[in-house]
Amino acid sequence: MPVHRSGTPHRPHRPRQLALGTLLAAFSLLSALSAPPSSAADTPARGSARLGMGVLAHDGQAGTPTTGDATQTEGVDVSGYQGNVAWSTLWSSGVEWAYTKATEGTYYTNPYFAQQYNGSYNVGMIRGAYHFATPDTTSGATQANYFVDHGGGWSGDGRTLPGTLDIEWNPYGAACYGKTQSAMVSWISSFLAQYKARTGRDAVIYTATSWWSDCTGNYGGFASANPLWIARYAADPGTLPAGWAYYTMWQYTSSGPTVGDHDKFNGGLDRVRALANG
């Protein structure tokens, strides 16, 4: 039996609260370090997607085409990202056609659509509208109807281009929107069929070859009816998706003058008018 000797200070028994607290803190730190990092800060807000948003991240950039090619006609594409656009400046610089984002999914309409769509027309450009597809939210036919009902229609006035389906990397999640290649082809078919039923025109398809190959299996069945708008930031448009022997439009940069997104139409202004006329 222990005996307390005179002159030796007595040390009372310490509760183990400090040790327990230290263990809990260490466990919390370990859990935080081992948890997967949140990507919420890296995910853009719904509605903010735009034509070519994923091109730089996935395909990079390798130069720009030569200027002054008389067989090509300069154009631009815009969205709510640009706000009010200086159309007279673009017109004076030689831009002769434009596409404006009208819609995304079935939940977003561009608040600057009127200024952009009508403004380009009013300075003399041939104009059109595009839809950013989100195949993981609603069906292709449903999104085609939403697009037509919110500015994506067509009129035979000689200065309105057919609507464009912007189908590319998903900025909000899985690149192919969680769809198999066959399911993606079916979704696109649904959109295109409904757009034609509503407007009488075949929609343009905007895409990048690498996305098309990964997410549709390089499907070639749309080329006979739907003009191709290819995305590639380089000196030439490169290899095209299966089925298309040539491109109709080419988005070649996201860092052009006045408005970053600049495009080439594969032909003179008469060919732009021909596409508008159908």
Side-chain angles (χ1 to χ4, degrees):
M1 178 176 180
V3 178
H4 176 66
R5 292 187 175 88
S6 177
T8 304
H10 176 64
R11 294 182 181 177
H13 176 69
R14 276 179 131 182
R16 296 185 179 177
Q17 293 177 350
L18 181 60
L20 182 60
T22 303
L23 284 172
L24 289 172
F27 179 76
S28 298
L29 178 60
L30 182 61
S31 298
L33 290 173
S34 61
S38 172
S39 58
D42 301 324
T43 302
R46 282 276 177 181
S48 63
R50 58 192 184 275
L51 208 74
M53 191 172 184
V55 174
L56 283 174
H58 291 88
D59 283 352
Q61 183 168 332
T64 55
T66 56
T67 57
D69 189 340
T71 64
Q72 294 184 323
T73 307
E74 190 76 5
V76 296
D77 58 270
V78 298
S79 69
Y81 176 77
Q82 278 88 12
N84 291 322
V85 175
W87 290 111
S88 58
T89 301
L90 286 164
W91 176 252
S92 298
S93 72
V95 174
E96 299 192 82
W97 60 275
Y99 265 91
T100 295
K101 179 182 178 181
T103 51
E104 177 180 320
T106 52
Y107 51 79
Y108 173 85
T109 57
N110 176 6
Y112 294 93
F113 182 75
Q115 193 277 342
Q116 295 175 348
Y117 189 70
N118 297 327
S120 55
Y121 185 92
N122 290 339
V123 298
M125 294 182 190
I126 299 173
R127 52 81 193 273
Y130 77 84
H131 173 79
F132 191 94
T134 56
D136 57 338
T137 59
T138 46
S139 72
T142 299
Q143 291 193 30
N145 284 328
Y146 188 80
F147 178 41
V148 173
D149 292 342
H150 295 87
W154 176 79
S155 61
D157 59 3
R159 289 179 56 199
T160 301
L161 294 160
T164 290
L165 171 64
D166 177 4
I167 186 78
E168 57 175 293
W169 297 279
N170 178 12
Y172 311 117
C176 299
Y177 300 86
K179 291 195 174 294
T180 64
Q181 293 173 340
S182 61
M184 183 63 76
V185 169
S186 295
W187 192 97
I188 295 169
S189 297
S190 173
F191 182 99
L192 298 175
Q194 185 63 14
Y195 185 82
K196 186 167 186 177
R198 290 288 307 273
T199 66
R201 292 299 307 272
D202 288 301
V204 175
I205 294 176
Y206 169 97
T207 195
T209 300
S210 61
W211 183 91
W212 192 262
S213 179
D214 290 343
C215 298
T216 74
N218 207 20
Y219 180 75
F222 300 126
S224 61
N226 301 96
L228 173 66
W229 188 351
I230 192 68
R232 187 168 188 256
Y233 301 165
D236 59 71
T239 302
L240 303 180
W244 282 283
Y246 60 89
Y247 66 90
T248 297
M249 291 171 280
W250 166 28
Q251 187 190 50
Y252 68 88
T253 186
S254 60
S255 55
T258 307
V259 166
D261 296 347
H262 277 245
D263 310 87
K264 301 285 186 186
F265 194 97
N266 193 8
L269 186 59
D270 61 322
R271 301 313 304 157
V272 184
R273 290 197 186 101
L275 180 61
N277 287 321

